[in-house]
């Protein structure tokens, strides 16, 4: 029985050690994020962060490898914080208004956290962030709902790129302007330009779902010249089945 007891005790010690390590790691990240917000990126040195977090500088290297590793962790923390602010409505009454609300939320987060926002989007490698990917899934869900209703003007990947580009552009442009030149109409105009670029004024599909989409595509089929006659015939058979199967 004693060996088993020692194993249990050892597991408990390991668990406690891991918990303490994670608490220390989070405290360091929050201290670095606070320094970043108050004094800018240049203030985020390993020595300053160690003092603010109440740890010795070597602890930062053990936890994050180096300063770049720490900044990566702060950026991930930023994505996680932003993700927590997102409201997901799986069935919004108006998908386009839902898109507007999501865009506004992203811009508001950037304007409220300028230094953190710049860090989060300063390197393409941040796209590997788990929280960033989760946020992208929320965005793609919004885009798919717009597409399913027949409102999407461009393909889904291009729509996501346009939405991100206009939101980042809005934040960076606003922050670059002197305060007396920051006109809220800039943000509204950029948002509406995005909406115009990615959505139709009227839905291309009147009835949501596969049947409505099939009927819309079947009606436009004679106008296309890309497919051969045999391909058109086969596609029409499929569309007929979808249109009647609902």
């Amino acid at each position: 029985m004693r060996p088993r007891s020692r194993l249990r005790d050892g597991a408990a010690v390991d668990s406690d050690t891991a918990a303490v390590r994670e608490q220390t790691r989070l405290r360091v990240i929050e201290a670095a994020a606070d320094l970043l917000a108050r004094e800018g990126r240049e203030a985020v040195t390993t020595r300053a962060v160690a003092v603010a977090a109440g740890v010795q500088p070597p602890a930062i290297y053990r936890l994050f490898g180096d300063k770049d590793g720490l900044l990566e962790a702060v950026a991930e923390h930023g994505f996680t914080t932003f993700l927590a602010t997102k409201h997901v409505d799986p069935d919004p009454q108006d998908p386009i208004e839902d898109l507007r609300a999501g865009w506004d939320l992203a811009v508001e987060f950037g304007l409220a956290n300028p230094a953190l926002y710049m860090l989060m989007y300063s390197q393409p490698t941040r796209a590997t962030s788990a929280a960033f990917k989760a946020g992208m899934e929320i965005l793609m869900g919004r885009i798919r709902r717009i597409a399913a209703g027949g409102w999407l003007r461009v393909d889904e990947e291009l729509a996501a790129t346009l939405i991100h580009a206009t939101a980042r552009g809005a934040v960076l442009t606003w922050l670059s302007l002197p305060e007396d030149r920051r006109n809220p109409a800039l943000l509204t105009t950029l948002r509406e330009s995005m909406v115009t670029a990615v959505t139709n004024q009227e839905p291309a599909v009147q009835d949501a779902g596969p049947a409505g989409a099939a009927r819309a595509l079947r009606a436009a089929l004679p106008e296309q010249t890309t497919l051969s006659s045999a391909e058109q015939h086969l596609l029409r058979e499929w569309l007929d089945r979808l249109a009647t199967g609902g």
Side-chain angles (χ1 to χ4, degrees):
M1 295 297 294
R2 284 186 177 278
R4 291 183 183 179
S5 177
R6 284 198 296 271
L7 282 173
R8 285 198 298 270
D9 291 345
V13 169
D14 289 343
S15 177
D16 290 344
T17 301
V20 170
R21 178 185 175 88
E22 185 56 31
Q23 289 172 1
T24 302
R25 186 176 185 276
L26 181 59
R27 190 166 75 249
V28 171
I29 290 172
E30 289 176 342
D34 182 62
L35 275 172
L36 180 68
R38 289 188 293 105
E39 302 180 37
R41 185 164 178 165
E42 294 303 315
V44 186
T45 64
T46 53
R47 183 176 297 277
V49 172
V51 170
V55 300
Q56 294 298 316
I60 294 179
Y61 292 97
R62 287 196 299 271
L63 290 167
F64 304 99
D66 55 19
K67 180 181 174 180
D68 288 341
L70 172 59
L71 291 175
E72 285 285 344
V74 173
E76 175 68 13
H77 181 67
F79 284 121
T80 302
T81 302
F82 176 46
L83 182 63
T85 68
K86 292 192 173 187
H87 169 69
V88 182
D89 185 348
D91 187 23
Q93 185 173 2
D94 187 333
I96 297 180
E97 281 304 310
D98 187 52
L99 174 63
R100 284 189 174 97
W103 192 94
D104 286 345
L105 184 67
V107 170
E108 288 165 7
F109 179 84
L111 299 183
N113 304 276
L116 179 59
Y117 188 88
M118 295 281 283
L119 176 65
M120 289 163 59
Y121 291 104
S122 62
Q123 296 182 20
T125 54
R126 301 269 154 78
T128 61
S129 154
F132 176 84
K133 289 179 179 178
M136 280 299 298
E137 280 301 310
I138 293 174
L139 173 60
M140 295 308 296
R142 286 192 168 104
I143 293 171
R144 289 184 195 110
R145 285 189 287 274
I146 291 171
W151 295 98
L152 196 62
R153 181 189 293 272
V154 297
D155 69 69
E156 294 180 17
E157 289 297 328
L158 179 56
T161 301
L162 287 168
I163 293 164
H164 264 288
T166 52
R168 291 186 201 180
V171 172
L172 297 178
T173 301
W174 181 273
L175 294 175
S176 71
L177 293 172
E179 289 192 16
D180 61 351
R181 292 182 55 198
R182 292 176 177 176
N183 185 345
L186 169 68
L187 304 180
T188 304
T189 302
L190 282 170
R191 184 193 64 200
E192 293 310 303
S193 296
M194 174 275 295
V195 171
T196 299
V198 303
T199 66
N200 296 308
Q201 290 186 345
E202 296 292 336
V205 179
Q206 298 300 320
D207 300 321
R215 285 192 290 270
L217 181 54
R218 185 176 59 184
L221 194 59
E223 300 173 9
Q224 72 80 40
T225 57
T226 304
L227 301 178
S228 67
S229 297
E231 289 169 334
Q232 286 193 55
H233 179 75
L234 180 58
L235 179 57
R236 181 174 292 279
E237 285 188 4
W238 292 340
L239 294 175
D240 287 343
R241 289 165 60 187
L242 286 170
T244 56

